[in-house]
Amino acid sequence: MTQAIPNAPRNTRQRAEVLALLREVEGFLTAQQLHQMLVAREARVGLTTVYRTLQLLVDAGEVDSTRLPGGEQLFRRCGQSRHHHHLVCRQCGRTVEIAGPAVERWADEMAARHGFTDVQHTLEIFGTCAACAR
Amino acid sequence: MTQAIPNAPRNTRQRAEVLALLREVEGFLTAQQLHQMLVAREARVGLTTVYRTLQLLVDAGEVDSTRLPGGEQLFRRCGQSRHHHHLVCRQCGRTVEIAGPAVERWADEMAARHGFTDVQHTLEIFGTCAACAR
DNA sequence: ATCTTGTTGGAAACGGTTTTCGTTGTAAAG
DNA sequence: CTTTACAACGAAAACCGTTTCCAACAAGAT
Ligand SMILES: [Zn+2]
Ligand SMILES: [Zn+2]
Ligand SMILES: [Zn+2]
Ligand SMILES: [Zn+2]
């Protein structure tokens, strides 16, 4: 039995295909890139369903989503569900999951100092990975 | 003499209007919100020109741009042109400019450790300000 | 005043994402 | 196994923020 999406009444072939692909890729990719990969492997999943499934997975906490400075939304199935950040290659999407306890403390301290509550933050590092630099 | 945009061959009434508005507003706003404000004060500036002027100002480092988690692009004329980050109130948009030298070093260190070059990062803290908490 | 050319702005195009709605097929009930 | 209900699919259309197009305009130079 392929892994199912939590709280999804029905397990369809399409969702299994998206999940299978997400397990194979290592970087952050756009919905369209993932869809093209599915087309390439003849998985027969519509673009609409890719978008819907990704949103479902994000809501379930199974997939992380971030955005390039340009605004394009990226998706990735990370190895951990705990709070963490990402070092992402702009060209190929290769990603390193990073933790920064000191940064977490600094952000909360800054917010508290200015009287802000109900605090959250976004932090992503973008660059060109060694492989793409060549 | 109204303030001019660096590297802009011509100083037009429209650019002066956008700059004047940016000097008056406090928080991060979208291009469309700024355009509507200009319409409201009968400044007669086209939406296209608002977008173009904002991009000019961003390129010149006169205006900061960021995005809400939802993806909408926001603009703000900050008090400093040096690299910095923001503590933003989710309800009213009130913004505190914050600097974190330790975070800057940490981000660069992380990227270098994993062989990434041409590095940049995004970091924003969102919360509810003291005034809105009441 | 005239000229050059950067700038403007309405319309159209654009690109990513969401919605629509008739069809398909999963899964449970009989 | 067959029926039934409705979740899910997907192609097309709508949507929405942003960019491009291009003819008219106007800032600054001479
Ligand atoms: Zn790369
Ligand atoms: Zn964090
Ligand atoms: Zn507030
Ligand atoms: Zn920084």
Side-chain angles (χ1 to χ4, degrees):
Chain A
M1 182 67 189
T2 41
Q3 184 179 332
I5 300 175
N7 303 322
R10 294 181 190 180
N11 298 318
T12 63
R13 176 186 61 76
Q14 289 89 340
R15 288 177 180 174
E17 298 274 19
V18 172
L19 276 168
L21 176 59
L22 285 171
R23 259 181 259 114
E24 295 173 26
V25 298
E26 90 326 333
F28 269 101
L29 297 171
T30 66
Q32 312 228 16
Q33 286 174 322
L34 291 166
H35 177 242
Q36 284 174 3
M37 289 178 181
L38 289 169
V39 169
R41 59 160 79 180
E42 297 179 6
R44 289 172 170 267
V45 182
L47 177 58
T48 305
T49 296
V50 173
Y51 274 110
R52 277 191 289 232
T53 303
L54 286 171
Q55 194 51 61
L56 218 53
L57 290 165
V58 167
D59 293 345
E62 294 284 312
V63 158
D64 278 12
S65 170
T66 188
R67 285 174 191 274
L68 289 178
E72 310 99 302
Q73 191 172 14
L74 305 176
F75 302 90
R76 178 172 192 264
R77 189 167 183 276
C78 282
Q80 54 187 312
S81 54
R82 280 201 322 279
H83 174 83
H84 61 278
H85 299 280
H86 306 102
L87 171 57
V88 185
C89 175
R90 272 188 294 266
Q91 333 300 320
C92 70
R94 180 169 311 185
T95 299
V96 179
E97 297 175 30
I98 54 181
V103 175
E104 305 299 326
R105 269 181 264 111
W106 173 82
D108 290 344
E109 151 70 15
M110 273 298 175
R113 178 181 306 175
H114 291 94
F116 279 61
T117 52
D118 192 18
V119 177
Q120 84 185 125
H121 61 261
T122 63
L123 166 56
E124 310 291 346
I125 307 174
F126 300 100
T128 303
C129 77
C132 287
R134 278 186 273 113
Chain B
M1 181 65 187
T2 41
Q3 184 179 331
I5 300 175
N7 303 321
R10 295 181 190 179
N11 298 319
T12 64
R13 176 186 61 77
Q14 288 89 339
R15 288 176 181 174
E17 298 276 19
V18 173
L19 276 167
L21 175 59
L22 285 170
R23 257 181 259 117
E24 294 173 28
V25 300
E26 154 63 15
F28 273 99
L29 297 172
T30 67
Q32 311 228 19
Q33 286 175 320
L34 291 165
H35 177 241
Q36 285 173 3
M37 289 179 181
L38 289 168
V39 169
R41 60 159 80 179
E42 298 181 4
R44 287 191 286 142
V45 182
L47 177 59
T48 305
T49 296
V50 173
Y51 275 110
R52 277 191 293 233
T53 303
L54 287 171
Q55 195 52 60
L56 269 176
L57 290 165
V58 168
D59 293 345
E62 294 284 313
V63 159
D64 278 12
S65 170
T66 189
R67 286 173 192 275
L68 291 177
E72 311 98 300
Q73 190 172 15
L74 305 176
F75 300 90
R76 179 174 191 264
R77 187 172 180 276
C78 284
Q80 54 187 311
S81 54
R82 280 203 323 280
H83 174 84
H84 61 278
H85 299 280
H86 305 102
L87 172 56
V88 185
C89 175
R90 259 187 240 96
Q91 332 299 321
C92 70
R94 175 169 168 250
T95 299
V96 179
E97 300 173 30
I98 54 180
V103 174
E104 305 301 325
R105 272 182 261 110
W106 172 82
D108 290 344
E109 150 71 16
M110 275 297 175
R113 178 182 304 176
H114 292 93
F116 280 61
T117 52
D118 195 15
V119 177
Q120 81 187 121
H121 60 260
T122 63
L123 166 56
E124 310 291 345
I125 307 175
F126 299 98
T128 302
C129 78
C132 288
R134 274 185 273 122

